[in-house]
Amino acid sequence: MQRVVKPKTQRGKRFLQEREAKIFENPKKTMFVKGGNTSQTVTQMLKELYQLKKDNAVMYKRKNIMRPFEDETQLEFFSQRCDASLFMFGSHSKKRPNNIVIGRLFDHHILDMIELGIENFKSMFDIEGAKCSAGTKPCMMFVGEQFDIEPDYIRLKNLFADFFRGVVIKQIRLQGLEHVIMITAAEGKIYLRNYKILLKKSGSKTPRIELDDMGPSVDFSVRRTKIASDDLYRRSLKQPKNAKVKKRKNISRDAFGSQLGRIHMQKQDLDNLQTRKMKGLKRGNPNKDATSSPNKKSKQSTEES
């Protein structure tokens, strides 16, 4: 049974309220964990990916002896401690050199885990050029048929998108697009590349776009996978009814983003349309004129007599 914690102070009460389930959840936090034995390559890659996700990430600098595929309890404990739902674990051994495990949790329990091996790594400090600012929301590109065909690669694509997407936003300006993450699947390997977007003059209002390699660049090979069942995965995707945006009828947007509305009205009777009252434009009543004409004639006859 789960232990119910009752707050004793106002600070503890606010802390527990932040951990409660919300209709619109906070941005997902990522844990970067070092294993009992790590190489320089693994440590450097964890540090640089942490720099890209610094606003919503936690870096554990101490070594933690664990094996995620054999025992998940320690990772789940770290998840409850720092309220994180994504993790990246790095280790190094003779059997699995330069090993990376990337995964996510649902309700502080392991949902998906995929083990990747680093075959080639190039640090961002080995590449000259400007770097994007920390916390920038990236544009993501997935290249390769395997991301749409094979089940493991489909889940890996979804996991990478969940890992790097950052804060959910509604609008973004053109100058705010600085970072591109390109993930390619080819010949049984996965290539991760990071580019900086350069906006240059083109002689028109639309700038010319160039991509400059900024690193880190990593070549992965898939080793082991642990994917959640369809029922559990479907349950993790459920949303409350209040979070779903209802479709508004008769409202659309044009190519420029302007909101347009369609109004349905009954057919109007233009004969009874109220206009400005003027004596010269006032219509006469034919029935009234017919009844009043004999009286006028009799009045004229009395005057003549």
Side-chain angles (χ1 to χ4, degrees), residues 74-213:
Q74 199 165 354
L75 274 174
E76 292 174 354
F77 170 74
F78 287 162
S79 172
Q80 290 181 346
R81 188 175 181 180
C82 63
D83 195 22
S85 56
L86 297 166
F87 71 90
M88 180 175 280
F89 174 79
S91 61
H92 177 74
S93 63
K94 185 177 180 180
K95 187 178 180 180
R96 293 185 177 87
N98 299 328
N99 199 49
I100 289 291
V101 179
I102 180 174
R104 55 188 166 185
L105 301 98
F106 169 64
D107 197 16
H108 300 298
H109 294 287
I110 295 294
L111 182 68
D112 294 326
M113 278 194 303
I114 297 178
E115 189 177 65
L116 305 172
I118 302 174
E119 296 192 353
N120 188 17
F121 173 72
K122 191 174 183 180
S123 173
M124 65 169 61
F125 301 106
D126 298 335
I127 301 174
E128 296 182 357
K131 315 298 180 186
C132 69
S133 56
T136 304
K137 188 172 179 63
C139 302
M140 299 193 66
M141 298 174 60
F142 291 92
V143 182
E145 296 179 353
Q146 293 175 320
F147 286 129
D148 300 324
I149 299 174
E150 299 185 16
D152 290 347
Y153 280 83
I154 292 173
R155 191 62 60 87
L156 180 60
K157 175 184 176 181
N158 185 269
L159 181 57
F160 272 129
D162 209 13
F163 192 86
F164 289 109
R165 70 172 184 171
V167 182
V168 179
I169 57 177
K170 295 181 179 179
Q171 295 179 347
I172 189 170
R173 61 190 181 97
L174 183 61
Q175 293 180 350
L177 296 173
E178 301 180 10
H179 185 198
V180 173
I181 298 176
M182 186 172 181
I183 302 174
T184 307
E187 299 177 356
K189 294 183 180 180
I190 298 171
Y191 303 94
L192 175 66
R193 300 292 183 266
N194 290 271
Y195 299 99
K196 180 176 175 58
I197 298 177
L198 302 178
L199 303 178
K200 297 190 175 182
K201 295 181 179 180
S202 62
S204 62
K205 292 183 178 180
T206 305
R208 181 168 57 89
I209 298 175
E210 291 186 2
L211 298 180
D212 187 18
D213 190 9

Side-chain angles (χ1 to χ4, degrees), residues 30-47:
T30 308
M31 301 182 297
F32 291 90
V33 186
K34 294 170 62 176
N37 186 22
T38 56
S39 62
Q40 181 64 27
T41 302
V42 173
T43 304
Q44 189 64 26
M45 198 200 78
L46 291 176
K47 287 182 179 179

Side-chain angles (χ1 to χ4, degrees), residues 221-276:
S221 62
V222 180
R223 290 178 177 170
R224 288 187 292 178
T225 59
K226 186 176 181 180
I227 297 176
S229 60
D230 294 338
D231 295 337
L232 180 60
Y233 184 71
R234 201 178 299 113
R235 189 155 55 92
S236 67
L237 296 177
K238 279 188 177 180
Q239 293 181 350
K241 293 183 179 180
N242 297 334
K244 296 179 181 179
V245 180
K246 295 182 179 179
K247 187 177 179 181
R248 301 175 66 184
K249 295 182 179 180
N250 303 324
I251 292 179
S252 60
R253 292 185 179 274
D254 58 5
F256 302 100
S258 302
Q259 190 174 4
L260 305 177
R262 181 182 297 176
I263 300 175
H264 298 277
M265 298 180 61
Q266 296 180 354
K267 188 175 180 181
Q268 290 181 321
D269 187 6
L270 300 180
D271 294 334
N272 297 328
L273 186 66
Q274 181 66 41
T275 57
R276 186 177 178 184

